[in-house]
Amino acid sequence: MPTKRQMPTVRLRRLAAELRRLRKGAELTREHVSEQTGINAATLYRIETARVRPQQRTLIALLNLYEVGDPQRGEIVALSRGAGSQRWLRPYHSELPEEYTAYISFEAEARAVRNYESLFIPGLLQTEGYARAVIKGVLPMASTREIEQRVQARIERQEVLAKPDPLNLWAIMDEAALRRVVGGPEVMHEQMQRLMASATEPHMTIQVIPFGAGAHAGMPGSFVLMSFPEVEDPEIIYIDSMAGDLFLEAEADVRRYGAIFDNLRAVALSPDDTSNLIATLTKEIQ
């Protein structure tokens, strides 16, 4: 039976980046490290790309080779011990897709999230009724149990917006997300009220790109750009598509999606005008 692939965590990515930095600082290639430590070059690649957490003896061998002393050595060892922990996850999340649980873990530790949605209300702003209707529609073959697990996970994710130091959320959506009546008028009316209330929160910014804006940079699809409290933790992009979930963290990708989001902010209605539009559409649903 194949070993289940370890999904990345913020700490695992930080550990991988630190080990890459140390190796390059020692002016060693992966092949040189392999020759001097006996660590397989493929294994080293997986460690340095946050595919796996290094075993203790492997980590110590690398730190010895890179001549890392205390206190840095102790900090790296401690980081490694916690690198496999996705602290936010509930026990039942083991039944959710691996990429989704990784996303939940990243989101729980993020400082800020920039989210563009072309067809849906952003997950962090969805009501339970809307979430259930969306999940049923998107996953028509899912069992009732699977649907309820996903609904529960989506609602629990929203705790990041209510904690003492809440996540900063900047959500932009196409007007189509507001116009599509998901779950019926009652569900949609409740959802629109949630949006209006969320728009008044100081740590949330909500904008809508009106139909009148014409073609825009977000039309190819939705994406999430997450940033983290520590400077050492690079931003990460998450894309959810029918072809599968995708994480991007290359600097070029982060710059490109950051520029796209800035462009979308510019063509969208202002937060105040967005609130007025949501209020108007809410009255129409009644």
Side-chain angles (χ1 to χ4, degrees), residues 249-257:
E249 56 184 326
E251 290 185 13
D253 291 324
V254 171
R255 285 197 302 270
R256 179 162 60 94
Y257 276 90

Side-chain angles (χ1 to χ4, degrees), residues 28-73:
L28 296 171
T29 65
R30 292 194 184 101
E31 290 71 22
H32 290 149
V33 173
S34 180
E35 290 172 1
Q36 296 184 48
T37 64
I39 299 171
N40 184 279
T43 298
L44 184 60
Y45 171 80
R46 297 178 70 205
I47 291 171
E48 290 190 351
T49 54
R51 266 50 172 192
V52 296
R53 179 165 62 98
Q55 295 181 355
Q56 182 79 356
R57 64 177 180 273
T58 299
L59 179 61
I60 296 303
L62 292 174
L63 297 180
N64 288 340
L65 178 62
Y66 303 151
E67 299 181 351
V68 179
D70 287 326
Q72 186 181 18
R73 174 182 287 251

Side-chain angles (χ1 to χ4, degrees), residues 113-126:
V113 163
R114 285 169 282 173
N115 184 190
Y116 166 71
E117 293 290 343
S118 56
L119 296 174
F120 304 103
I121 304 299
L124 287 175
L125 299 175
Q126 292 180 8

Side-chain angles (χ1 to χ4, degrees), residues 75-86:
E75 293 169 355
I76 294 174
V77 171
L79 180 61
S80 178
R81 287 174 181 153
S85 173
Q86 294 176 322

Side-chain angles (χ1 to χ4, degrees), residues 132-286:
R132 183 171 289 106
V134 161
I135 293 168
K136 282 183 178 179
V138 172
L139 301 173
M141 304 303 292
S143 67
T144 300
R145 182 170 179 271
E146 290 171 334
I147 290 172
E148 290 307 313
Q149 284 181 336
R150 284 179 176 257
V151 171
Q152 186 177 354
R154 188 159 301 182
I155 299 307
E156 287 175 350
R157 280 173 49 204
Q158 297 173 7
E159 293 174 11
V160 298
L161 297 173
K163 61 186 182 179
D165 182 20
L167 175 79
N168 289 308
L169 173 64
W170 196 311
I172 301 177
M173 65 199 90
D174 193 279
E175 186 175 344
L178 302 180
R179 294 280 185 180
R180 185 175 299 278
V181 181
V182 173
E186 184 175 345
V187 168
M188 202 63 197
H189 187 267
E190 179 187 29
Q191 178 62 70
M192 299 293 270
Q193 289 182 313
R194 165 72 68 82
L195 287 178
M196 287 193 291
S198 298
T200 66
E201 295 291 339
H203 56 288
M204 299 188 219
T205 301
I206 299 175
Q207 290 183 271
V208 169
I209 300 176
F211 286 151
H216 59 79
M219 293 179 70
S222 306
F223 62 92
V224 178
L225 205 163
M226 290 178 277
S227 56
F228 301 91
E230 300 296 330
V231 177
E232 296 84 357
D233 299 327
E235 293 181 310
I236 189 169
I237 299 152
Y238 173 74
I239 301 171
D240 180 10
S241 71
M242 294 186 70
D245 299 353
L246 180 64
F247 290 101
L248 303 174
E249 56 184 326
E251 290 185 13
D253 291 324
V254 171
R255 285 197 302 270
R256 179 162 60 94
Y257 276 90
I260 290 173
F261 195 86
D262 288 343
N263 180 274
L264 295 175
R265 288 192 305 176
V267 302
L269 296 174
S270 70
D272 286 344
D273 288 343
T274 290
S275 293
N276 292 335
L277 175 60
I278 294 172
T280 298
L281 294 179
T282 301
K283 293 177 181 178
E284 292 179 5
I285 294 174
Q286 292 178 320

